[in-house]
Amino acid sequence: METNDKYYIGIDLGGTSIKIGLCDAQGQLLAVFEGPTEAEKRAEGVLQNIELYVRELVAREGCNWEQIAGIGAGIPGFLDFEQGLVKASPNLGWKDVPVRQILEDRMGKPVKIDNDANVAALGEVWSGAAAGIPNAVCYTLGTGVGGGIIVKNNLCQGFNGMGGEIGHLKVVADNEAILCGCGKKGCLETVSSATGIIYMAKEAVIRGEQTMLAHHREITAKDVLDAAKAGDPAALHIVDRAADYLGRSMALLSVVVNPQRFVVGGGVAKAGSFLLDRIDRYFREYALGNGSENVDIVPAILGNNAGVVGAAGLHCFG
Ligand SMILES: [Zn+2]
């Protein structure tokens, strides 16, 4: 470690584990440390764990504490970015926790927080699949559909922090819409997340459709994607539907923020070009010509590290 260089710490706070990343000023991830969250210790205990892990990592990597220029944290839930406050995090069981203040007091460094989906997007734009692309939208297709919108290298958080909640774009027509975890109907997340894909597969089996998925005791999203790749018509229909709505959502976003690149990550995206090619086709079908010209859809590359990289990036990117 050069003694004059500045480094940034990114924290990815999850319900079961906390990941800490050490990044240089160019967004290169140099080292990570992972430890248990111990959510049962409540906010005070969890934030104490964070400090412990951060100091451990910095010491282990031979960094001087003075070289740490800033600390960022990605936290699941509803946040007040300006105040550095976690208003509510169902995953952690937190309500009105002044995270920034507590961490700044503990560590004596500037702290910024943002939600986990936003920081993952920022990570991909800083040094991942959209590096050097100032206007990009990132999707994370996991249990839900997370998202982050970057305009001119800045995260679009919006007035209330709801900017980038693309999983809750209402894209499904009323007569086909089902209830989303958010309490509304027809959200993108209900069809294009792992949960949505599994739901559609179970429905197909219940309807008695001829599908190899009927032989699975517990269907996973990967089972559905694998069955589709093997040519199973019911599975193909489900994947096609998930891709259709993703393409539709991208067409909507293209007339709002006109990104140059869409980055797609998360477990479902592991299906690779089989899924991305379909999304691309629908996107071009629905999008306004100029909104899709020279726009591409690419897989995320940082994987599970996107969160720590983006959290570190809250200080020195944009
Ligand atoms: Zn929703």
Side-chain angles (χ1 to χ4, degrees), residues 270-283:
K270 291 204 176 102
S273 58
F274 180 76
L275 178 69
L276 291 197
D277 290 351
R278 282 179 163 71
I279 299 172
D280 191 87
R281 205 170 60 231
Y282 282 115
F283 165 58

Side-chain angles (χ1 to χ4, degrees), residues 165 167-169 179-190:
E165 291 287 341
H168 302 283
L169 277 169
L179 194 64
C180 176
C182 70
K184 304 284 180 185
K185 279 180 153 187
C187 296
L188 178 65
E189 188 164 298
T190 63

